[in-house]
Amino acid sequence: MSIAAERIDRLHALAREAARAGDDDRAREYVRLARRLAERNRLRLPREFRRFTCDACDAFLVPGRNARVRTRSGHVVVTCDCGQQARYPYED
């Protein structure tokens, strides 16, 4: 695993901890740093990281606190407080 990938994993953990503690601005900054690091090193962000961050406002999503999660037939809809929606497929 490269140093950049390890740092992205660490930033993901820090963003999760900050979001759960209620420090949304700090969590947003960790998400932005991780995205910039991935772009610079041409890495994909881990799936869990992509699923729990908002593409529009860079918020780390905590279901029930700043994100709404709903299931529809064949996909999950995650809605951020900013209004951005993300849809992910799943098998029944």
Side-chain angles (χ1 to χ4, degrees):
M1 183 179 257
S2 70
I3 294 173
E6 290 176 12
R7 185 161 182 227
I8 289 170
D9 286 341
R10 180 67 180 139
L11 286 167
H12 177 239
L14 289 171
R16 184 181 331 122
E17 291 171 16
R20 288 184 180 159
D23 195 354
D24 293 331
D25 291 333
R26 182 173 297 224
R28 185 172 281 121
E29 190 60 33
Y30 289 143
V31 169
R32 287 181 181 143
L33 279 171
R35 286 190 173 161
R36 284 182 48 215
L37 191 63
E39 282 180 16
R40 195 176 307 130
N41 290 283
R42 296 182 179 176
L43 295 173
R44 282 182 62 103
L45 290 170
R47 175 181 283 186
E48 185 179 342
F49 191 90
R50 290 192 313 264
R51 295 269 169 109
F52 287 100
T53 55
C54 177
D55 290 335
C57 66
D58 291 329
F60 191 87
L61 302 176
V62 179
R65 219 178 117 255
N66 65 351
R68 187 176 69 212
V69 180
R70 299 289 186 260
T71 56
R72 300 285 176 236
S73 61
H75 61 276
V76 176
V77 179
V78 180
T79 307
C80 179
D81 280 348
C82 72
Q84 178 76 15
Q85 289 185 340
R87 293 175 181 85
Y88 304 110
Y90 73 90
E91 295 290 324
D92 285 334

